[in-house]
Amino acid sequence: MSLVFLDDDPDGPPRVAYALSKRVGNAVVRNRLRRRLRAICVEQARAGRIPAGALLVSAGPDAVRRNPPELRNDVVSLLDALHARRTPQAER
């Protein structure tokens, strides 16, 4: 799973897009995973962990086999890594 920060828009809300290839599974499986990822991202956005701007979340076939707490931990660790890359060393 990966997270890419696409656009910085400090005045706008966070926007998240999801990229799931057909290797993940059929449409039912991909949509189920997309709904799970969206719920996690909404929860994290309400907690203020997702920066304003555009993000792209991509997931491969292994994400389908993750249970909800594991998937949430994956997203949180990706957001932490994003925050670490965007924060200058002096502010950390």
Side-chain angles (χ1 to χ4, degrees):
M1 202 155 82
S2 67
L3 181 95
V4 178
F5 188 72
L6 298 173
D7 184 28
D8 193 14
D9 183 13
D11 296 329
R15 298 179 319 270
V16 182
Y18 306 92
L20 306 173
S21 71
K22 288 189 176 184
R23 291 184 336 192
V24 170
N26 63 21
V28 172
V29 172
R30 289 192 312 268
N31 286 331
R32 183 180 306 128
L33 178 59
R34 189 176 295 116
R35 285 191 303 270
R36 289 173 61 193
L37 289 170
R38 186 181 306 127
I40 293 168
C41 288
V42 165
E43 169 188 288
Q44 296 302 311
R46 287 182 180 154
R49 296 182 54 99
I50 296 182
L55 298 171
L56 175 66
V57 177
S58 62
D62 57 332
V64 174
R65 294 185 288 277
R66 310 284 283 171
N67 63 36
E70 291 173 334
L71 197 59
R72 178 174 288 110
N73 288 339
D74 292 344
V75 171
V76 168
S77 65
L78 288 171
L79 289 171
D80 289 343
L82 174 66
H83 180 70
R85 284 192 311 253
R86 291 177 41 101
T87 306
Q89 189 70 19
E91 292 181 19
R92 288 187 213 169

